[in-house]
Amino acid sequence: MSVPFPDTASDTDTAARLLAEDAPGDNAPALSVSQLSAAIKRTVEDGFARVRVRGELSGAKRAASGHFYAALKDDNALIDMVMWKGQASRLAFRPEDGIEVIATGKLTTYPGRSKYQLVVDSLEVAGEGALMLLFEKLKARLGAEGLFDQGRKQPLPYLPRTIGVVTSPTGAVIRDILHRLADRCPTHVIVWPVLVQGEGAAAQVANAVRGFDALAPGGPVPRPDLVIVARGGGSIEDLWAFNEEVVVRAIADCRIPTISAVGHETDVTLADYAADRRAPTPTAAAEMAVPVRAELQAQLATWNGRIIGAANRHQALGAERLAALARHLPKREALYAPQRQRLDDAHGRLDRCQQHRVAVAAERLATRGAALRPSLLARGWDRDRAKLEGLARLLVSLDPRALLARGYAMVRDSAGAIVTTAAGARAAGTLRLQFADGEVAAEVGGGAAPAPGPAPQSAPKAARKPPAAPGRGQGELF
């Protein structure tokens, strides 16, 4: 069932009017939404230009632009807040949900959503209780990442050559450390000066730890064998730089063994959990770093005495064992007697052998000497003389000069070679004929060879000549 609209409206019913009309005597024109939002904004900002608000953070997040957004709440109300990038980057802590803070800034509106919000210039933790809550949250989060595990801890070097100290160069801490090191065992110390409190302190401490870790071994600046991060005592707020995540991560990542000496015995920071060792005071850190030189010298003296004593005992024990073994050995004369007897026997056999060889040689010489009689020597000389005379006669008979004296001639060609055949003479052309009293040159004429005459009668058989010496031809006889 539909309800019909009324046909007409009363003149006094303004809600039923179709066309807006200015009321009589009204001099305030209608405002636009933007005008009203701007008016509210001015009113809010003028009335709350500087406020400090205490509340618990909720929905904390940092945008990609660097701005920080969150809400402040208590049991009954909630107000949005924003912190621009410049201020957010200088925060001394990492804001997280559940942390009670005090925000300082101005109240303004955001017309785009008809909301008001707090633009924060500074953000501080509200009291030590809230700061401890922030401490526990950060400790739990970093501990879950394993930054505090015992397996990450490195052993401290027994006697470091160089120690790097991260602390303030003007405080009493560095003087206490240097004084204690000088008393115990003088060591080369490199101080990296940093702020230990206030804005920028955490960044400087982290950069110092990473700077020591980045030094190359053997470089112009010696790489420390040990790093001490130190600061004197103070409140939790004064020590908060050593609870910053950037410092904790730098100490945990350092490849050089580190000692955290921040505050007094009852002060605990997250740097203590991340370091390889925690010292209750900076002076105690120096005592952990090096041993006492006098104690080292005493220990070395003790070890030296033990080494000498052990060597002497070993020598004495060896001497006792040698003496015991020597008592079981036979006497020297007993060892030498058989060898001396063998030497005497060998000497006697050698003398007898030499005498026998001399006697045999004398006997052979006498036998041979008896056979050398003068008549036998003369008979041998006569035999050798007759043999020599026969050889002399043979030499005379073979002398070619004797043949030339009996009318023979030696024929040579122009080169001096002996010619032994008629064909060789015709081929040579010019000949040299050697007689007993000289040489005559001759020319061989052409023409046919003479007819063969009657065969000559065979000459009487000559007597056998002795064989010529091996390797000697006829030409070698002249």
Side-chain angles (χ1 to χ4, degrees), residues 245-260:
E245 182 175 350
V246 63
V247 173
V248 176
R249 291 190 181 277
I251 294 176
D253 294 339
C254 185
R255 295 169 294 177
I256 303 173
T258 57
I259 298 177
S260 175

Side-chain angles (χ1 to χ4, degrees), residues 43 159 184 196 226 242 249 251 253 349 365 376 417 423 451 455 475:
T43 302
L159 189 60
R184 292 176 64 85
V196 293
L226 178 67
F242 298 90
R249 291 190 181 277
I251 294 176
D253 294 339
R349 290 197 303 270
L365 180 61
L376 295 176

Side-chain angles (χ1 to χ4, degrees), residues 104 112 133 153 175 206 397 418 451:
T104 303
L133 178 59
K153 308 298 182 181
R175 292 195 299 271
S397 64
I418 298 176

Side-chain angles (χ1 to χ4, degrees), residues 49 77 102 267 416 421:
I102 296 178
D267 298 326
T421 62

